[in-house]
Amino acid sequence: MKILVVNAGSSSLKYQLIDMETENVIAKGGCERIGIRGSNLKHKTSKGEKIIERDMPNHKVAIQLVLEALVDPEYGAISSMDEIDAVGHRVVHSGEDFNCSVLVDDEVLAKCRNNIELAPLHMPANILGIEACREAMPGKPMALVFDTAFHSTMPAYAYMYAIAYDDYKNFKIRRYGFHGTSHKYVSQEAIKYLGKPAAETKIITCHLGGGSSISAVKGGKCIDTSMGFTPLAGVPMGTRSGDLDPAVLEYLAAKKHYTILDCVNYLNKECGVAGISGVSSDFRDLTKAASEGNERAKLALDVFSYDVKKYIGSYVAALGGLDCLVFTAGIGENTSQVRKAVCENMEYFGIAIDEDKNEQKNDGSIHDITAAGAKVKVLVIPTNEELVIARETKELLEA
Ligand code: ADP
């Protein structure tokens, strides 16, 4: 069985074709600058990389080009479209409508359209991608895999904000959480690694990348997560502020003559570690600048690591203990300095890492950096959101 995984953004469309017998990626790539002049498709198979520069006025043209590239006799990966058994789409928000992945039909798509207002930056593009694929591959089974679904098991006391209950009911204002496919993948990998029955496991997963979120996973199910109504909440991120006192908004608006929309844009785009450091949102630049004596870069790294540490502490309390702490995504997998700072002085919780193991480069497999004798396993696990989407699509197809 071969499954095409599609992740459609507003001007991009990333894809992977995965052979489910081996779970190997047989082709992958992405279209950039859809709807903008100078659009191109980068397509990679075992035969090499091909860059196709072509006008892509919309997602429909983009997916058509992807399908052509996949079956191209010279640089393709399959001989005909019939070899694609199903398509799995990444969708950012399920609202309260779906608590698991679903096969798409008109009714499902209508519910997704209703949820556009919950994620206005991402949902329209996700839906364009789905519509384009349905047009280009009529009759092909398609699954929607939601970033929020893994968090749907949170108890009400974890997802409720302390606002008037009617406003939660009427406007769906609550914690949803994001990066669900990543938290699901790495927590499942950790459960396999621990070799215990899933029901007995208590795991904290730290997805630290361009956007970062932390989740508490008990018995394989998410019980709390740091992102909220939107992916702006939780720990500070590349350019996002993370949590702050909501009263800052009114004060900031007055001082900088901002509208509410300006404030939210500012908190999304001009804050986080980039805002504190004035250097960069990229942790490679930050660690380099800090090592060269840049105090604000060091402060940004300290703020970030301290906040991650605080979330871990609070989730140990929420879980009532801890078996395993997982680091994943760009920073979690690569920035040893952050892992070290987060795990420092955590012996009280049974967390301690081996400094040499922590410094070893990740090789794409699970890397155990636990110090000898420490009670809690600390693992670095490369995330694989596309594989989760493909697996869920396969499951739905076989059900
Ligand atoms: P996104 O949320 O954009 O998918 P990633 O998970 O790819 O983000 O994480 C990107 C971040 O990971 C970069 O901004 C950078 O700060 C950090 N990082 C640190 N080292 C590396 C590395 N060797 N490769 C990639 N990203 C790295």
Side-chain angles (χ1 to χ4, degrees):
M1 179 187 289
K2 293 187 183 73
I3 289 176
L4 180 65
V5 175
V6 174
N7 181 357
S10 54
S11 66
S12 69
L13 188 148
K14 291 187 229 151
Y15 63 93
Q16 287 194 3
L17 184 64
I18 301 180
D19 182 342
M20 297 311 290
E21 264 56 69
T22 56
E23 295 197 334
N24 284 338
V25 176
I26 49 180
K28 66 192 255 184
C31 306
E32 282 174 346
R33 301 177 63 85
I34 299 171
I36 307 169
R37 246 181 345 159
S39 44
N40 67 71
L41 161 65
K42 286 198 185 89
H43 175 77
K44 234 169 142 172
T45 64
S46 58
K47 299 171 202 163
E49 188 179 65
K50 177 90 186 163
I51 298 175
I52 300 154
E53 283 174 13
R54 194 94 61 86
D55 209 23
M56 289 180 232
N58 55 48
H59 287 71
K60 196 178 157 204
V61 176
I63 193 70
Q64 206 63 55
L65 274 179
V66 170
L67 296 175
E68 280 171 27
L70 287 171
V71 299
D72 189 274
E74 187 195 331
Y75 48 82
I78 47 175
S79 52
S80 106
M81 285 230 319
D82 297 340
E83 285 187 53
I84 303 173
D85 293 282
V87 182
H89 290 274
R90 179 185 182 192
V91 180
V92 125
H93 219 305
S94 61
E96 290 191 320
D97 292 311
F98 309 103
N99 57 14
C100 58
S101 302
V102 287
L103 286 172
V104 71
D105 58 24
D106 291 341
E107 197 186 324
V108 164
L109 212 47
K111 284 184 177 161
C112 289
R113 286 194 194 96
N114 265 336
N115 287 329
I116 286 179
E117 61 181 1
L118 293 176
L121 296 180
H122 296 98
M123 287 299 280
N126 293 165
I127 291 169
L128 277 177
I130 300 162
E131 288 170 340
C133 285
R134 287 183 96 196
E135 252 187 274
M137 292 173 267
K140 192 80 75 188
M142 293 193 193
L144 307 189
V145 181
F146 301 94
D147 271 15
T148 46
F150 182 59
H151 305 300
S152 66
T153 47
M154 281 189 287
Y157 58 75
Y159 69 66
M160 273 303 290
Y161 289 136
I163 58 169
Y165 193 81
D166 283 350
D167 292 333
Y168 154 63
K169 269 299 183 205
N170 294 334
F171 307 128
K172 306 180 197 171
I173 301 170
R174 49 160 283 185
R175 179 188 308 283
Y176 290 99
F178 298 87
H179 296 139
T181 49
S182 177
H183 290 289
K184 182 173 189 177
Y185 177 77
V186 296
S187 57
Q188 286 179 343
E189 291 295 298
I191 289 168
K192 278 190 243 159
Y193 186 87
L194 293 172
K196 290 214 271 188
E200 291 168 22
T201 55
K202 294 171 179 175
I203 300 171
I204 295 173
T205 50
C206 304
H207 176 110
L208 312 178
S212 294
S213 64
I214 328 282
S215 291
V217 185
K218 192 174 189 174
K221 294 196 162 70
C222 177
I223 62 157
D224 207 347
T225 192
S226 62
M227 281 180 166
F229 179 64
T230 74
L232 180 56
V235 296
M237 307 175 214
T239 61
R240 287 175 241 169
S241 63
D243 294 338
L244 43 68
D245 180 344
V248 165
L249 289 190
E250 188 260 343
Y251 190 76
L252 188 72
K255 289 287 177 198
K256 296 187 79 153
H257 310 292
Y258 277 177
T259 63
I260 283 288
L261 190 61
D262 294 334
C263 285
V264 173
N265 273 332
Y266 164 86
L267 295 176
N268 269 304
K269 296 188 178 140
E270 293 178 47
C271 295
V273 292
I276 298 173
S277 67
V279 172
S280 169
S281 61
D282 192 299
F283 277 61
R284 288 163 287 198
D285 301 334
L286 288 176
T287 47
K288 182 165 179 289
S291 71
E292 291 164 358
N294 185 312
E295 285 300 323
R296 275 172 54 190
K298 184 174 177 310
L299 178 62
L301 289 168
D302 288 347
V303 170
F304 179 78
S305 304
Y306 179 65
D307 269 16
V308 174
K309 187 195 276 277
K310 282 202 297 188
Y311 264 103
I312 293 169
S314 64
Y315 286 169
V316 173
L319 290 162
L322 186 65
D323 300 307
C324 181
L325 175 64
V326 180
F327 288 99
T328 193
I331 300 159
E333 291 167 33
N334 297 295
T335 314
S336 58
Q337 197 172 320
V338 165
R339 295 193 299 255
K340 180 169 179 240
V342 169
C343 294
E344 228 155 38
N345 300 321
M346 297 276 264
E347 289 81 5
Y348 179 81
F349 289 122
I351 299 170
I353 59 171
D354 180 302
E355 293 214 4
D356 292 333
K357 287 183 188 159
N358 185 42
E359 290 306 326
Q360 282 161 16
K361 281 256 165 301
N362 82 62
D363 63 358
S365 57
I366 295 184
H367 185 39
D368 186 338
I369 59 170
T370 317
K375 209 172 70 199
V376 172
K377 283 268 171 244
V378 184
L379 306 176
V380 180
I381 305 182
T383 195
N384 195 338
E385 293 166 274
E386 290 76 14
L387 186 55
V388 174
I389 295 172
R391 282 180 183 166
E392 305 234 330
T393 305
K394 179 173 180 252
E395 268 173 40
L396 281 172
L397 213 59
E398 288 171 345

